[in-house]
Amino acid sequence: MTAVRRVVEATGVVQGVGMRPFLARLARELHLSGWCANTSSRVQVEVEGPSAAVAEFERRVVEEAPPLAVLATVTSRTVTTRGGSGFVVVDSTPDAGARTLVAPDTAPCPDCLREFADPGDRRHRHPFVTCTNCGPRFTITLDLPYDRPNTTMAGFPMCPRCTAEYADPRDRRFHAQPIGCHDCGPRLTLRGADGTPLATALDDVVAGAVDLLAAGRVVAVKGLGGYHLACAAGNPEAVARLRERKHRPHQPFAVMVRDLAAAERLVDLTSGARALLTCPARPIVLLRRRADGADRAAPVTNLPIGSFVTPDPVTNLPIGSFVTVDGAVAPGLDDLGLLLPYTPAHHLLFEEAPYSAIVMTSGNRSGEPLCVDDDDALRRLPGIADVFLTHDRPIAVPCEDSVMALDAEDRPLPVRRSRGYAPLPIPLPTVPTVPTVPVPPEPIPGPEPPPPVVLAAGAELKNTFTLVRDGLAFVSAHVGDLGTLEAHTAYERAVAQAERFHRAAPTLVVADRHPGYRSRADAARRAEDLGVPLLEVQHHHAHLAALAAEHQHLDAPLVGLVLDGTGYGCDATVWGGELLALRDGGRTAARLGHLGVLPLPGGDAGVRHPVRMAAAAMLASGLGLEPGAPVPDELTEHERRQVPRLLEGCSGWVATSSAGRLFDVAASMLGVRHRVTYEAQAAVELEALATRWARRVGTAGAARAAGAAVPLPTVAPDGGVLDPRPWVRALDAGVRAGAHRGELAWAFHAALADGAAELAAGGATAEGADVVGLTGGVFQNRLLTALVRNALAARGLRVLTHRVVPPNDGGLSLGQAAVGLASLAHPGGMP
């Protein structure tokens, strides 16, 4: 058979995922000669042999790629045959092409966990066991191509046995860059609050950490992308201690459980929940707490260490043990945020431990960025952590845990997109470079202009930023709130790091229009320094563009309900209950309708004190503040005098159409939450109350049929405005009539859903659209989302919800980037 030689090039996530070992094994299996190598932008391979074998090689490259590989393009071409024998992996070489994609971090694969658990294996209990199919990637990568010298493993020379595995094409660790073992590291160390080593031998380190957790101590644990603060989740004193030290009185903590059996003792596990908990990304998953779970379980922390030896054959937990989570872990909520161990070191913390659940919350002080560097952690966390379980592998890129929920149809809903998902990009429509001078009749020979690079600065809260190159949007890992100098410094550092990594200088910078956002100020400085345009995009326009971008729906008609807390409106008021139409490929958005405005007294102070917002809404709805209802009874004397005075004047309050603030009104009127200590606390607790009532009386449909004691009226949009005041009056009447608070909370959700769906249906008809998008942080409310989706479907409309980026401000930068690209492509330029 005639011999041929082909060059095959693959782009996408093709480095750090075992692609070269796979290619080498495949070529040798088919008796082909040649070579393969990484470049900065792709993996390249040349193979030579019988034409049928070469064709099979090309087919199997696509069909049998390694599990962590994501192939964006695979191209091939014929070159002159050279002869020769054998197939080799050659050294990587940089190139001038586009940068390749880096894989996200993943949990240990089953093969590595088997070695980890095998006393006869040389990696038994190795805290950093990994292979080409799993383990750290993004958080250890310093530069491309992805080779050990360009990772934070460069400081750990391989021992002879690891070197042999690394060089053996038949081995699972062939060219596995994070490879290590007990001999060559990395290694764990247990340190005191002053940094003094308490233990360095693995057995002593693990036993010391387990004993301290069991004794109720707070342990700072260094993970893949930064530090966690950990304590035994079933120990109320430990949970209270962590809350007090971190100044986090109510915000729910995430809980790491030993395994699925432990999770099943605590929450209702659907098939979607099992899939999310066990997927390679290992996110935190928000799940319903079991009504018959922790309440009847004896605290596991009261039992002596080492008292369990034989596992229960049903649950695989130690016989006699219970899985407990103290109620203070998620006060006022029926959901628990659970995750499974995602590093070998996490598995060590559950070995022979008298607990099966550990609080794992971000390792930082309240309002500050995640601690990543060891010295920084030892400087900032001693007042919170009693001891430090650390390791000597540096972290290249900070990366918080991802958070996922499940909607009413058991499908994933992203709440925070970070570890395990970042930095996988989202494709955006490619756009031509808009010429700045008229095009001459005959093209001038020369190189093509470089594609645009867009930097989108994101929001002020739940910040992510997005860098677009080569038509791919790289949404950063979660950065967080930018309210402190330390947080803003971390944000600037992350942006600069991304630009260096991608070798990309922005040609357009995009920011939110809000004049007070630090992200906007930073974007303006960066645009001025680079000498490139700054594009400001209205907050809710960006939300809807993000939803359209992830669904590849930018070029089709889309009407969207954008419901969130606060966003700077085009009229300088506070928006947040908007019906928008996306136009011009996402470049522009038209406001078709909105919630009617209510007064927000005191700006941010009104957000922190929902009772003030509720009092103002009641006054604006024609109600008084007579005692005998939750709002009047909760107001201080100062608030009782000041709120009416503010509304009588022209200053001290701002008009808002925010759906988030309307939830605050309802929550305070029903006595659920009058003052908050974390964002959206009142709304989250109101949803929990409504959902609890709906579960008690049956399905949402049955609850609707039963009606409310004082039904909330159906409000029809008037001129594109959905007036909330009739609902405020109905809630007040229901409370004073003694109606069940849960029934009123559910009725509020149902009334808002009906009104919003009617508003959206009218807008869709006007725009000639048959698709409605649901976005904004309020659509993290799964009850409201389900009710709105059902109401829209009943009106014959298709509904888009978020599946890739969160509906909250964590997805905003993707929408900003999409608007930026659309603006570059549009003949009219910036909107």
Side-chain angles (χ1 to χ4, degrees):
M1 185 177 292
T2 304
V4 297
R5 189 176 186 92
R6 300 275 287 174
V7 174
V8 180
E9 296 181 333
T11 65
V13 181
V14 292
Q15 297 186 16
V17 295
M19 195 70 182
R20 288 179 298 171
F22 160 70
L23 294 171
R25 287 193 296 270
L26 181 58
R28 291 180 176 120
E29 177 186 332
L30 297 173
H31 306 290
L32 301 175
S33 62
W35 56 270
C36 69
N38 282 339
T39 74
S40 300
S41 62
R42 64 200 67 220
V43 62
Q44 286 184 325
V45 57
E46 285 193 19
V47 287
E48 183 169 333
S51 57
V54 171
E56 183 177 356
F57 176 88
E58 292 189 51
R59 177 183 61 80
R60 292 175 64 181
V61 164
V62 176
E63 295 178 0
E64 301 176 11
L68 298 184
V70 180
L71 302 181
T73 64
V74 179
T75 61
S76 63
R77 66 182 187 276
T78 302
V79 294
T80 305
T81 56
R82 300 179 185 175
S85 61
F87 189 93
V88 295
V89 177
V90 301
D91 291 339
S92 301
T93 57
D95 63 17
R99 307 281 278 173
T100 191
L101 309 183
V102 177
D105 303 285
T106 62
C109 66
D111 289 330
C112 283
L113 286 179
R114 276 191 290 270
E115 294 171 343
F116 178 83
D118 182 1
D121 192 277
R122 75 184 192 91
R123 289 189 175 85
H124 175 51
R125 301 179 76 239
H126 178 46
F128 302 90
V129 60
T130 184
C131 70
T132 56
N133 297 324
C134 67
R137 294 295 188 274
F138 179 46
T139 55
I140 66 169
T141 302
L142 298 166
D143 202 353
L144 296 174
Y146 177 76
D147 286 318
R148 196 176 180 96
N150 289 332
T151 72
T152 58
M153 288 297 295
F156 300 93
M158 287 182 284
C159 68
R161 287 189 289 181
C162 285
T163 301
E165 292 170 333
Y166 184 88
D168 185 354
R170 299 163 299 179
D171 196 280
R172 199 173 83 252
R173 294 186 171 88
F174 180 51
H175 279 254
Q177 308 308 334
I179 189 174
C181 69
H182 290 291
D183 294 333
C184 48
R187 296 175 179 84
L188 297 177
T189 300
L190 189 65
R191 299 182 182 274
D194 61 355
T196 303
L198 303 178
T200 55
L202 180 62
D203 289 350
D204 295 337
V205 169
V206 175
V210 169
D211 286 348
L212 287 162
L213 286 169
R217 301 302 180 189
V218 177
V219 181
V221 180
K222 186 178 181 182
L224 282 179
Y227 273 85
H228 285 103
L229 291 164
C231 70
N235 186 323
E237 291 81 11
V239 174
R241 186 178 298 115
L242 178 55
R243 286 204 175 281
E244 180 182 4
R245 292 178 181 180
K246 201 175 177 185
H247 304 294
R248 188 171 165 176
H250 302 114
Q251 192 169 356
F253 287 140
V255 175
M256 181 176 286
V257 290
R258 185 192 302 268
D259 51 25
L260 277 179
E264 197 159 23
R265 292 284 188 94
L266 296 171
V267 297
D268 295 322
L269 284 185
T270 62
S271 58
R274 291 175 182 273
L276 270 180
L277 284 169
T278 58
C279 75
R282 292 292 198 279
I284 298 167
V285 186
L286 305 180
L287 299 169
R288 297 289 185 205
R289 191 195 297 259
R290 282 183 58 165
D292 61 347
D295 290 344
R296 68 178 189 181
V300 108
T301 46
N302 292 341
L303 300 167
I305 294 174
S307 62
F308 305 121
V309 180
T310 308
D312 185 309
V314 176
T315 65
N316 200 34
L317 293 172
I319 286 178
S321 73
F322 296 90
V323 185
T324 60
V325 170
D326 185 67
V329 165
L333 304 179
D334 293 337
D335 284 354
L336 283 177
L338 296 190
L339 75 163
L340 295 179
Y342 61 84
T343 72
H346 291 152
H347 286 276
L348 289 173
L349 290 177
F350 288 102
E351 279 190 352
E352 300 183 9
Y355 50 75
S356 292
I358 308 172
V359 166
M360 281 283 190
T361 190
S362 300
N364 55 4
R365 292 191 298 214
S366 182
E368 293 187 359
L370 186 69
C371 288
V372 175
D373 176 79
D374 296 345
D375 292 337
D376 183 43
L378 289 167
R379 177 179 63 85
R380 288 200 282 143
L381 297 182
I384 305 176
D386 297 304
V387 293
F388 290 75
L389 177 59
T390 186
H391 59 74
D392 54 355
R393 184 179 67 202
I395 296 171
V397 184
C399 205
E400 292 254 26
D401 292 329
S402 292
V403 182
M404 302 291 286
L406 291 156
D407 66 14
E409 298 174 344
D410 207 30
R411 297 184 302 176
L413 168 67
V415 176
R416 185 168 74 194
R417 182 183 184 269
S418 200
R419 178 190 51 77
Y421 300 95
L424 290 176
I426 298 158
L428 292 177
T430 56
V431 298
T433 302
V434 177
T436 56
V437 296
V439 178
E442 295 295 330
I444 299 174
E448 288 289 326
V453 175
V454 177
L455 173 65
E460 190 76 356
L461 302 180
K462 299 181 177 66
N463 177 270
T464 65
F465 60 89
T466 293
L467 189 70
V468 180
R469 62 165 176 82
D470 305 310
L472 297 175
F474 294 87
V475 182
S476 75
H478 173 78
V479 177
D481 300 349
L482 304 183
T484 65
L485 176 61
E486 294 84 358
H488 187 244
T489 300
Y491 165 80
E492 290 180 309
R493 185 166 54 244
V495 171
Q497 183 182 43
E499 291 176 349
R500 287 194 305 271
F501 184 84
H502 288 281
R503 303 285 196 273
T507 54
L508 173 67
V509 179
V510 190
D512 194 279
R513 283 185 175 176
H514 196 299
Y517 273 12
R518 290 173 178 83
S519 56
R520 180 196 173 279
D522 183 77
R525 286 194 301 270
R526 192 174 295 271
E528 183 177 2
D529 291 344
L530 293 170
V532 302
L534 172 69
L535 173 64
E536 295 180 355
V537 177
Q538 198 276 327
H539 190 88
H540 302 97
H541 178 188
H543 269 307
L544 187 55
L547 179 66
E550 72 165 72
H551 284 278
Q552 302 294 299
H553 201 86
L554 286 162
D555 292 326
L558 180 63
V559 168
L561 282 168
V562 189
L563 309 185
D564 66 356
T566 57
Y568 189 73
C570 296
D571 57 2
T573 65
V574 177
W575 288 9
E578 312 309 311
L579 179 69
L580 303 182
L582 205 61
R583 296 171 178 170
D584 301 327
R587 173 178 169 268
T588 61
R591 192 187 197 197
L592 304 180
H594 57 87
L595 275 174
V597 298
L598 291 173
L600 172 58
D604 288 343
V607 176
R608 294 192 300 272
H609 299 274
V611 68
R612 300 179 186 177
M613 181 76 199
M618 291 173 67
L619 292 172
S621 301
L623 299 172
L625 297 177
E626 295 81 10
V631 171
D633 291 350
E634 176 65 22
L635 290 170
T636 66
E637 284 301 320
H638 174 73
E639 289 170 334
R640 194 185 305 277
R641 293 191 305 270
Q642 192 66 19
V643 171
R645 289 175 183 171
L646 287 176
L647 300 190
E648 291 168 3
C650 298
S651 63
W653 64 276
V654 63
T656 180
S657 60
S658 166
R661 302 290 72 82
L662 183 58
F663 269 88
D664 286 350
V665 170
S668 182
M669 292 186 70
L670 297 183
V672 174
R673 177 62 56 181
H674 299 295
R675 309 185 194 275
V676 301
T677 62
Y678 65 89
E679 187 192 11
Q681 181 181 6
V684 170
E685 293 179 358
L686 184 70
E687 179 193 4
L689 175 63
T691 304
R692 204 174 300 140
W693 183 84
R695 285 205 307 269
R696 183 170 66 84
V697 301
T699 65
R704 178 187 294 273
V710 182
L712 268 67
T714 299
V715 177
D718 183 8
V721 178
L722 193 61
D723 187 358
R725 292 175 297 177
W727 298 332
V728 174
R729 292 190 285 268
L731 286 174
D732 182 67
V735 168
R736 293 182 183 277
H740 192 286
R741 292 190 316 151
E743 188 174 12
L744 288 173
W746 191 93
F748 168 76
H749 281 78
L752 176 57
D754 276 343
E758 187 64 22
L759 180 68
T765 299
E767 289 291 307
D770 62 356
V771 181
V772 174
L774 307 182
T775 185
V778 168
F779 281 113
Q780 290 174 175
N781 182 317
R782 285 159 285 171
L783 173 59
L784 181 71
T785 302
L787 291 171
V788 174
R789 174 190 284 279
N790 292 342
L792 288 169
R795 291 165 169 84
L797 293 164
R798 186 162 65 92
V799 179
L800 298 183
T801 57
H802 284 273
R803 294 285 175 257
V804 179
V805 298
N808 60 44
D809 283 3
L812 198 76
S813 64
L814 174 63
Q816 292 173 343
V819 175
L821 276 184
S823 298
L824 290 174
H826 197 276
M830 305 299 179

